[in-house]
Amino acid sequence: MCRLFAFVSSDHSAARHELGDDGMQSLLSLARLHGDGWGWAGVAEAGQQPDALRSASSAIGDAAFDRAMDAESRAAIVHLRWATAGLPVNDCNAHPFEIDGVAFAHNGSLKPLERLHALLSAESVATLTGTTDSEMYFALIREKVAEGLSLHEATTRVAAMLRDLFPLASLNALLLDDEELIVVHASATSILTDHDLSRLAPLADVLPSEHNEDYFALRWRAGADGTIAIGSTGVAGDGWTALPAESVTAIRLDDRSVSTLELAAEHALHG
């Protein structure tokens, strides 16, 4: 499980600026738990492919993370990793994954891993560099893009399929390419396991107070200048609104126009 943050700016901005002092303090407090790696991806200008950075180190005290938070971009995504039990903490498993001009970060766990792996084509298996369910999720989306679907349609199609196969999983994810930010908010039936809750308990005093209220929720806000920001619980603050549940939202980088597809509607068409 992980924490997510993203923004699409009206001009150029940086994650630190969009979060503000309180938001950065919350993000760093969350890194005490979500300390199994961090990642950032940003698009300097609409029409340019994203640059991506990732590390298996904790964000706390990492100078490279500080520089990433100050990097100016038109849009960016930030990921703090809390590794699924049993999966290695290394650079290959850190998010965001970036391939074919798309960056991808996920908050959730898809188990059993073997069931997910069996869905992949041999070509997709050959592209895997790590061992995470998240990278496999991303590979499935790329398969649909290769078939001719838009990134928004491909992501919705895959999320709808995985919802049927993994009903308790969180499919929350962020994807960023040269044209749009895609936000998957699909976690309505997701729960933290007893093991997860046991790891949370010792840090109750240092995590944001709302962190456990709805762990998998994703919220968004529009700033006075039109910048749109998205954040996980504990990152999102006062005045943020819940994204539509069980849906995939696309935000264009050039004009910040928004369109949303529902997983249920996708399932009705292709299920």
Side-chain angles (χ1 to χ4, degrees), residues 1 46 53-54 61 71 91 122 129 142 144 151 198 217-218 235:
M1 274 68 68
L53 302 169
R54 56 180 180 159
D91 287 348
T129 60
R142 298 199 313 275
K144 293 300 181 184
L151 185 60
S198 70
L218 283 177
V235 181

Side-chain angles (χ1 to χ4, degrees), residues 74-214:
R74 188 65 175 268
I77 63 178
V78 179
H79 182 272
L80 298 179
R81 186 181 182 216
W82 177 12
T84 299
L87 292 181
V89 176
N90 55 37
D91 287 348
C92 291
N93 285 344
H95 307 213
F97 305 96
E98 192 278 322
I99 191 169
D100 297 335
V102 182
F104 173 90
H106 172 221
N107 171 28
S109 179
L110 296 160
K111 295 181 178 180
L113 200 62
E114 295 77 13
R115 180 185 298 174
L116 181 63
H117 191 277
L119 300 174
L120 296 173
S121 68
E123 291 78 12
S124 287
V125 170
T127 70
L128 300 177
T129 60
T131 57
T132 65
D133 51 306
S134 302
E135 189 179 8
M136 296 178 197
Y137 178 6
F138 183 31
L140 288 170
I141 293 171
R142 298 199 313 275
E143 287 184 15
K144 293 300 181 184
V145 171
E147 292 174 6
L149 295 182
S150 70
L151 185 60
H152 193 188
E153 293 169 330
T155 302
T156 308
R157 185 81 59 89
V158 170
M161 174 186 68
L162 294 179
R163 170 53 68 239
D164 285 345
L165 295 174
F166 302 92
L168 298 181
S170 168
L171 304 173
N172 289 354
L174 300 172
L175 297 92
L176 181 65
D177 71 359
D178 62 337
E179 294 184 345
E180 57 193 352
L181 171 70
I182 306 291
V183 185
V184 182
H185 188 210
S187 54
T189 57
S190 304
I191 58 172
L192 289 170
T193 66
D194 289 341
H195 175 71
D196 297 330
L197 292 170
S198 70
R199 294 175 65 188
L200 282 169
L203 295 171
D205 292 338
V206 298
L207 296 174
S209 59
E210 71 276 12
H211 177 261
N212 295 358
E213 292 176 3
D214 190 356

Side-chain angles (χ1 to χ4, degrees), residues 22-51:
D22 290 345
M24 277 301 302
Q25 288 180 6
S26 291
L27 191 69
L28 289 173
S29 70
L30 290 165
R32 294 176 180 271
L33 174 66
H34 306 81
D36 297 324
W38 64 268
W40 171 94
V43 170
E45 301 287 352
Q48 296 182 8
Q49 292 187 354
D51 294 319

Side-chain angles (χ1 to χ4, degrees), residues 235-256:
V235 181
D238 294 338
W240 295 58
T241 303
L243 278 152
E246 298 299 297
S247 69
V248 181
T249 297
I251 305 167
R252 289 195 57 83
L253 306 190
D254 54 3
D255 62 4
R256 300 177 311 288

